[in-house]
Amino acid sequence: MTDHTTIEGKAVAIETRETPKTETPNTGAPVPPRPRPRRGLLVGAVAVPLALGAVGLSLAQQAQTPLTPVAPVAVSALAPSGATAAKGEVAEIFGNKFILQDGTGRALVETGRAGEGAKLVAKGETVTVQGRFENGFLHAAALTRADGRVEALRPVGPPPGGLDWAKDKMGLGPSVDVPALTKAVTDAGYTDVRVAGRGPRHLDVAAKGQDGKERMLHVGFDGQIREKRVF
């Protein structure tokens, strides 16, 4: 309200203070709600990285190089080798180690991190263990259950966490032509060739030399062959 008895300057000042009250009258119209993020967008934001992760895992699985299956021998026949196997019954369990026994003898099996917690196998279970036998230990690389399921116990490929591992996970790692590489080993004069593992840029291959002794070979993806050790 304007007081006409005041001087014009004051009246104007009063009118200026009252004006904001009449500029936005309350009409009773509902105030529009604040927009919320759409659930579909949130789900999509989460699903995309999950999908990419699944693709990466699938590619990583395809990039892995399987071990050459090895026919099991009697436990008593186990001899130093880079790739051998034995079948028997789990007799005792000690952490990540267990005793494998058959009708011919007993052997101590070491399972690495995969066997920590003593839950990998059960006492009395029949299993086939494939791996490296050395100094009285069978260092397991793979385990075959009675129903035929095969479990890899050690990484086959680059060590986890490195750049080569990341490339493999995304399907960007080097292409591994296993048949060509094993043929190169055979052409070099080796026999009984078995893929025992894989590194970032090479295969670990067990084979017998011309003298009949077992060797562990480092076979580069470029075909270069180097003897690592003789058993």
Side-chain angles (χ1 to χ4, degrees):
M1 181 178 69
T2 304
D3 184 1
H4 295 287
T5 61
T6 58
I7 61 174
E8 186 176 356
K10 289 183 179 180
V12 172
I14 294 172
E15 289 174 356
T16 302
R17 287 195 300 270
E18 291 179 350
T19 299
K21 296 181 181 180
T22 59
E23 284 181 349
T24 56
N26 184 6
T27 61
V31 179
R34 182 177 298 177
R36 297 179 180 178
R38 295 182 180 179
R39 183 174 180 177
L41 294 178
L42 291 177
V43 172
V46 174
V48 169
L50 287 178
L52 291 176
V55 171
L57 178 59
S58 175
L59 291 172
Q61 291 173 340
Q62 294 173 8
Q64 289 186 347
T65 304
L67 304 179
T68 301
V70 178
V73 300
V75 170
S76 62
L78 285 170
S81 171
T84 188
K87 181 178 181 179
E89 182 181 285
V90 178
E92 301 290 342
I93 303 173
F94 310 98
N96 69 341
K97 299 178 179 64
F98 66 88
I99 299 294
L100 182 73
Q101 71 175 14
D102 64 5
T104 68
R106 295 157 62 98
L108 184 60
V109 178
E110 183 271 322
T111 60
R113 296 183 62 181
E116 292 179 356
K119 296 181 180 180
L120 179 65
V121 294
K123 188 174 181 179
E125 181 181 4
T126 299
V127 295
T128 300
V129 181
Q130 178 170 330
R132 183 183 83 256
F133 187 75
E134 189 175 20
N135 300 323
F137 280 80
L138 180 53
H139 301 272
L143 192 74
T144 303
R145 307 285 183 178
D147 60 3
R149 289 183 296 116
V150 180
E151 296 181 26
L153 304 185
R154 302 183 190 276
V156 181
L163 179 59
D164 291 314
W165 173 83
K167 289 181 178 180
D168 258 23
K169 188 173 179 64
M170 297 303 296
L172 302 176
S175 176
V176 185
D177 190 341
V178 176
L181 293 175
T182 53
K183 183 178 183 301
V185 174
T186 301
D187 291 345
Y190 295 93
T191 60
D192 194 12
V193 178
R194 290 145 287 152
V195 176
R198 181 194 155 192
R201 297 179 181 84
H202 75 279
L203 295 180
D204 289 317
V205 175
K208 290 184 178 179
Q210 295 180 355
D211 58 1
K213 293 182 178 180
E214 178 101 0
R215 262 84 169 171
M216 181 61 77
L217 308 176
H218 178 289
V219 182
F221 293 163
D222 59 359
Q224 296 296 314
I225 301 171
R226 175 171 58 86
E227 289 192 1
K228 297 173 63 175
R229 60 189 308 178
V230 179
F231 288 93

